[in-house]
Amino acid sequence: MKKTMRRVLVVLLCMAMVFAMAACSKKQDETSGGDSADAQAKSEGVMTYEEYAAAALDTEVTIEAFVQAKQSWWEDKATVYTQDEDGAYFLYNMACSQEDYDKLVEGQKIKVKGYKAEWSGEVEIIDATFEIVEGNWIAEPMDVTDILGKDELIDHQNKKVSFTGMTVEPKKDANGNDVAYLYSWDGSGSQGDDLYFDVSKDGQTYTFTVESYLCGPDTDVYKAVEGLSVGDTVDLEGFLYWYEGVNPHITAVK
């Protein structure tokens, strides 16, 4: 009798462990994103990325996406980089309290209503409001090195991206000297302002930026760019921002 009871207890314990492991695995899928189709599913009335991309400028749009980074908060307005598995959305000056801004952690899914707009080539959502919805997903950077300079690059605007094997090219400071970076686009700034630096690949040179609101002077990436030398070979990650052409906002440098 005692042996039978022991066997029953062992079986019950094993079943409990299996259910616990399954629940843990499910929780990990929910919080890390993984390949969960449920997290990516759109609710009723929400555009797919294809529908959003096809929408005319100045029209109202409703999207669902996942927070990838927060750039800034000021006077109840937030600027946020978001993405889903099909594309990315830049939310500019979205209505947001400080309390709600704190809830916009990396990976959090949100539903956004606003207007599609464009500024100097950058397509964004303005005059937006949002609500937090269930779901969590973090994008892996897409390597776009091979399509730099090609028309198809703009199709990935605002996505989390990476660049490999880029060479740091010289910029001219106010005295005409070759330097690896400038504070502000024309070198008129100082530490704490945006960093501008040039990198090349296959004979073409591009200007990249460390946006100080996104990655300030105390961040690793800001310090890394300040430590660059002309001729260095670097791998980079960031968001495929657009300003009069491609102008990535860099968040990591190796």
Side-chain angles (χ1 to χ4, degrees):
M1 182 68 176
K2 289 181 180 179
K3 289 182 178 179
T4 301
M5 288 297 294
R6 286 174 183 167
R7 290 193 185 99
V8 171
L9 286 172
V10 169
V11 170
L12 289 173
L13 285 171
C14 289
M15 290 176 66
M17 289 176 66
V18 169
F19 284 125
M21 290 173 67
C24 180
S25 177
K26 181 180 179 182
K27 184 64 176 176
Q28 286 179 337
D29 284 344
E30 290 173 348
T31 56
S32 66
D35 298 320
S36 174
D38 290 341
Q40 295 287 342
K42 307 291 186 183
S43 58
E44 186 176 354
V46 173
M47 292 175 158
T48 63
Y49 181 77
E50 184 179 8
E51 291 170 333
Y52 166 78
L57 295 175
D58 302 320
T59 58
E60 189 174 37
V61 293
T62 301
I63 62 103
E64 286 176 346
F66 302 84
V67 175
Q68 301 302 308
K70 298 187 292 186
Q71 178 168 297
S72 62
W73 179 89
W74 180 253
E75 295 183 342
D76 289 335
K77 292 181 179 180
T79 296
V80 183
Y81 300 81
T82 65
Q83 189 171 333
D84 62 26
E85 63 182 354
D86 296 316
Y89 316 81
F90 185 66
L91 314 178
Y92 181 73
N93 276 355
M94 176 176 65
C96 181
S97 67
Q98 177 69 70
E99 181 181 4
D100 284 341
Y101 188 68
D102 293 339
K103 297 175 184 177
L104 296 179
V105 297
E106 184 182 19
Q108 177 62 57
K109 189 176 185 180
I110 57 176
K111 181 178 181 179
V112 180
K113 292 183 179 181
Y115 291 85
K116 185 178 177 181
E118 181 181 344
W119 183 72
S120 295
E122 170 64 21
V123 177
E124 55 197 16
I125 299 177
I126 63 170
D127 298 331
T129 59
F130 80 98
E131 60 181 287
I132 292 176
V133 294
E134 185 177 353
N136 198 285
W137 178 77
I138 297 173
E140 288 294 325
M142 174 186 179
D143 192 330
V144 294
T145 311
D146 290 341
I147 58 174
L148 272 170
K150 298 181 180 179
D151 292 343
E152 63 192 279
L153 183 65
I154 199 169
D155 295 337
H156 304 286
Q157 185 177 130
N158 296 317
K159 280 185 181 180
K160 188 185 293 185
V161 295
S162 63
F163 309 87
T164 55
M166 308 296 291
T167 302
V168 177
E169 298 292 342
K171 295 186 80 68
K172 295 290 185 181
D173 66 11
N175 298 316
N177 298 317
D178 287 346
V179 293
Y181 65 90
L182 295 175
Y183 293 113
S184 193
W185 68 273
D186 59 355
S188 62
S190 58
Q191 190 177 55
D193 293 321
D194 297 347
L195 293 176
Y196 284 76
F197 63 106
D198 287 352
V199 291
S200 67
K201 188 72 174 181
D202 298 328
Q204 291 186 290
T205 299
Y206 309 89
T207 298
F208 287 9
T209 303
V210 177
E211 165 61 61
S212 60
Y213 287 138
L214 175 64
C215 298
D218 293 331
T219 61
D220 289 343
V221 63
Y222 198 100
K223 294 174 182 176
V225 171
E226 288 182 310
L228 291 178
S229 297
V230 174
D232 285 347
T233 299
V234 291
D235 294 339
L236 308 159
E237 290 184 6
F239 294 96
L240 199 60
Y241 189 79
W242 222 262
Y243 177 77
E244 304 294 346
V246 62
N247 180 218
H249 286 177
I250 298 303
T251 57
V253 176
K254 291 182 182 179

PDB file of all heavy atoms in Angstrom, residues 41-47 51 62-64 109 111 113 131:
ATOM      1  N   ALA A  41      -0.545  39.293 -33.699  1.00  0.00           N
ATOM      2  CA  ALA A  41      -1.889  39.418 -34.261  1.00  0.00           C
ATOM      3  C   ALA A  41      -2.442  40.823 -34.043  1.00  0.00           C
ATOM      4  O   ALA A  41      -2.257  41.425 -32.986  1.00  0.00           O
ATOM      5  CB  ALA A  41      -2.811  38.384 -33.623  1.00  0.00           C
ATOM      6  N   LYS A  42      -3.136  41.350 -35.066  1.00  0.00           N
ATOM      7  CA  LYS A  42      -3.736  42.674 -34.985  1.00  0.00           C
ATOM      8  C   LYS A  42      -5.182  42.557 -34.506  1.00  0.00           C
ATOM      9  O   LYS A  42      -5.908  41.653 -34.912  1.00  0.00           O
ATOM     10  CB  LYS A  42      -3.723  43.362 -36.354  1.00  0.00           C
ATOM     11  CG  LYS A  42      -2.356  43.422 -37.025  1.00  0.00           C
ATOM     12  CD  LYS A  42      -1.400  44.349 -36.316  1.00  0.00           C
ATOM     13  CE  LYS A  42      -0.103  44.495 -37.105  1.00  0.00           C
ATOM     14  NZ  LYS A  42       0.892  45.332 -36.411  1.00  0.00           N
ATOM     15  N   SER A  43      -5.603  43.483 -33.669  1.00  0.00           N
ATOM     16  CA  SER A  43      -6.988  43.491 -33.224  1.00  0.00           C
ATOM     17  C   SER A  43      -7.869  44.138 -34.292  1.00  0.00           C
ATOM     18  O   SER A  43      -7.380  44.718 -35.270  1.00  0.00           O
ATOM     19  CB  SER A  43      -7.121  44.229 -31.892  1.00  0.00           C
ATOM     20  OG  SER A  43      -6.636  45.556 -31.999  1.00  0.00           O
ATOM     21  N   GLU A  44      -9.168  44.042 -34.129  1.00  0.00           N
ATOM     22  CA  GLU A  44     -10.113  44.538 -35.127  1.00  0.00           C
ATOM     23  C   GLU A  44      -9.927  46.037 -35.368  1.00  0.00           C
ATOM     24  O   GLU A  44      -9.789  46.819 -34.422  1.00  0.00           O
ATOM     25  CB  GLU A  44     -11.538  44.257 -34.668  1.00  0.00           C
ATOM     26  CG  GLU A  44     -12.588  44.607 -35.702  1.00  0.00           C
ATOM     27  CD  GLU A  44     -13.996  44.232 -35.257  1.00  0.00           C
ATOM     28  OE1 GLU A  44     -14.124  43.608 -34.190  1.00  0.00           O
ATOM     29  OE2 GLU A  44     -14.945  44.565 -35.993  1.00  0.00           O
ATOM     30  N   GLY A  45      -9.916  46.425 -36.626  1.00  0.00           N
ATOM     31  CA  GLY A  45      -9.805  47.830 -36.970  1.00  0.00           C
ATOM     32  C   GLY A  45      -8.385  48.351 -37.054  1.00  0.00           C
ATOM     33  O   GLY A  45      -8.172  49.527 -37.358  1.00  0.00           O
ATOM     34  N   VAL A  46      -7.398  47.490 -36.799  1.00  0.00           N
ATOM     35  CA  VAL A  46      -5.993  47.896 -36.819  1.00  0.00           C
ATOM     36  C   VAL A  46      -5.379  47.557 -38.174  1.00  0.00           C
ATOM     37  O   VAL A  46      -5.599  46.478 -38.726  1.00  0.00           O
ATOM     38  CB  VAL A  46      -5.203  47.202 -35.690  1.00  0.00           C
ATOM     39  CG1 VAL A  46      -3.712  47.476 -35.818  1.00  0.00           C
ATOM     40  CG2 VAL A  46      -5.718  47.676 -34.338  1.00  0.00           C
ATOM     41  N   MET A  47      -4.594  48.487 -38.710  1.00  0.00           N
ATOM     42  CA  MET A  47      -3.956  48.283 -40.005  1.00  0.00           C
ATOM     43  C   MET A  47      -2.820  47.273 -39.925  1.00  0.00           C
ATOM     44  O   MET A  47      -2.115  47.201 -38.916  1.00  0.00           O
ATOM     45  CB  MET A  47      -3.357  49.600 -40.506  1.00  0.00           C
ATOM     46  CG  MET A  47      -4.369  50.652 -40.869  1.00  0.00           C
ATOM     47  SD  MET A  47      -3.495  52.199 -41.295  1.00  0.00           S
ATOM     48  CE  MET A  47      -4.732  53.022 -42.297  1.00  0.00           C
ATOM     49  N   GLU A  51      -0.898  47.976 -45.118  1.00  0.00           N
ATOM     50  CA  GLU A  51      -1.962  48.973 -45.239  1.00  0.00           C
ATOM     51  C   GLU A  51      -1.478  50.339 -44.784  1.00  0.00           C
ATOM     52  O   GLU A  51      -1.792  51.365 -45.388  1.00  0.00           O
ATOM     53  CB  GLU A  51      -3.182  48.540 -44.428  1.00  0.00           C
ATOM     54  CG  GLU A  51      -3.899  47.330 -45.009  1.00  0.00           C
ATOM     55  CD  GLU A  51      -4.942  46.755 -44.083  1.00  0.00           C
ATOM     56  OE1 GLU A  51      -4.811  46.912 -42.839  1.00  0.00           O
ATOM     57  OE2 GLU A  51      -5.903  46.138 -44.591  1.00  0.00           O
ATOM     58  N   THR A  62      -4.362  53.743 -37.650  1.00  0.00           N
ATOM     59  CA  THR A  62      -4.414  53.009 -36.381  1.00  0.00           C
ATOM     60  C   THR A  62      -3.518  51.792 -36.530  1.00  0.00           C
ATOM     61  O   THR A  62      -3.714  50.962 -37.423  1.00  0.00           O
ATOM     62  CB  THR A  62      -5.846  52.565 -36.046  1.00  0.00           C
ATOM     63  OG1 THR A  62      -6.689  53.712 -35.959  1.00  0.00           O
ATOM     64  CG2 THR A  62      -5.871  51.823 -34.709  1.00  0.00           C
ATOM     65  N   ILE A  63      -2.521  51.703 -35.654  1.00  0.00           N
ATOM     66  CA  ILE A  63      -1.565  50.597 -35.765  1.00  0.00           C
ATOM     67  C   ILE A  63      -1.347  49.961 -34.385  1.00  0.00           C
ATOM     68  O   ILE A  63      -1.673  50.563 -33.348  1.00  0.00           O
ATOM     69  CB  ILE A  63      -0.212  51.077 -36.338  1.00  0.00           C
ATOM     70  CG1 ILE A  63       0.457  52.130 -35.425  1.00  0.00           C
ATOM     71  CG2 ILE A  63      -0.413  51.658 -37.730  1.00  0.00           C
ATOM     72  CD1 ILE A  63       1.577  51.640 -34.579  1.00  0.00           C
ATOM     73  N   GLU A  64      -0.815  48.767 -34.391  1.00  0.00           N
ATOM     74  CA  GLU A  64      -0.327  48.122 -33.173  1.00  0.00           C
ATOM     75  C   GLU A  64       1.118  47.715 -33.413  1.00  0.00           C
ATOM     76  O   GLU A  64       1.435  47.152 -34.467  1.00  0.00           O
ATOM     77  CB  GLU A  64      -1.178  46.903 -32.802  1.00  0.00           C
ATOM     78  CG  GLU A  64      -2.524  47.273 -32.220  1.00  0.00           C
ATOM     79  CD  GLU A  64      -3.399  46.065 -31.932  1.00  0.00           C
ATOM     80  OE1 GLU A  64      -3.083  44.952 -32.415  1.00  0.00           O
ATOM     81  OE2 GLU A  64      -4.410  46.248 -31.238  1.00  0.00           O
ATOM     82  N   LYS A 109       3.730  45.994 -26.204  1.00  0.00           N
ATOM     83  CA  LYS A 109       2.831  46.234 -27.330  1.00  0.00           C
ATOM     84  C   LYS A 109       1.892  47.391 -27.011  1.00  0.00           C
ATOM     85  O   LYS A 109       1.374  47.490 -25.890  1.00  0.00           O
ATOM     86  CB  LYS A 109       2.022  44.971 -27.643  1.00  0.00           C
ATOM     87  CG  LYS A 109       1.210  45.054 -28.935  1.00  0.00           C
ATOM     88  CD  LYS A 109       0.515  43.716 -29.222  1.00  0.00           C
ATOM     89  CE  LYS A 109      -0.200  43.731 -30.568  1.00  0.00           C
ATOM     90  NZ  LYS A 109      -0.869  42.435 -30.850  1.00  0.00           N
ATOM     91  N   LYS A 111      -1.271  50.126 -28.858  1.00  0.00           N
ATOM     92  CA  LYS A 111      -2.175  50.472 -29.949  1.00  0.00           C
ATOM     93  C   LYS A 111      -2.146  51.982 -30.104  1.00  0.00           C
ATOM     94  O   LYS A 111      -2.311  52.718 -29.126  1.00  0.00           O
ATOM     95  CB  LYS A 111      -3.589  49.989 -29.644  1.00  0.00           C
ATOM     96  CG  LYS A 111      -4.604  50.280 -30.747  1.00  0.00           C
ATOM     97  CD  LYS A 111      -5.980  49.708 -30.373  1.00  0.00           C
ATOM     98  CE  LYS A 111      -7.015  49.969 -31.464  1.00  0.00           C
ATOM     99  NZ  LYS A 111      -8.340  49.387 -31.096  1.00  0.00           N
ATOM    100  N   LYS A 113      -3.259  55.570 -32.344  1.00  0.00           N
ATOM    101  CA  LYS A 113      -4.075  56.269 -33.332  1.00  0.00           C
ATOM    102  C   LYS A 113      -3.472  57.643 -33.563  1.00  0.00           C
ATOM    103  O   LYS A 113      -3.161  58.355 -32.607  1.00  0.00           O
ATOM    104  CB  LYS A 113      -5.520  56.416 -32.846  1.00  0.00           C
ATOM    105  CG  LYS A 113      -6.284  55.112 -32.755  1.00  0.00           C
ATOM    106  CD  LYS A 113      -7.724  55.346 -32.350  1.00  0.00           C
ATOM    107  CE  LYS A 113      -8.502  54.040 -32.283  1.00  0.00           C
ATOM    108  NZ  LYS A 113      -9.937  54.255 -31.914  1.00  0.00           N
ATOM    109  N   GLU A 131      -2.731  53.313 -26.307  1.00  0.00           N
ATOM    110  CA  GLU A 131      -3.114  52.512 -25.147  1.00  0.00           C
ATOM    111  C   GLU A 131      -2.237  51.271 -25.112  1.00  0.00           C
ATOM    112  O   GLU A 131      -1.815  50.773 -26.155  1.00  0.00           O
ATOM    113  CB  GLU A 131      -4.592  52.124 -25.198  1.00  0.00           C
ATOM    114  CG  GLU A 131      -4.998  51.309 -26.415  1.00  0.00           C
ATOM    115  CD  GLU A 131      -6.470  50.968 -26.423  1.00  0.00           C
ATOM    116  OE1 GLU A 131      -6.885  50.100 -25.622  1.00  0.00           O
ATOM    117  OE2 GLU A 131      -7.204  51.563 -27.248  1.00  0.00           O
TER     118      GLU A 131
END
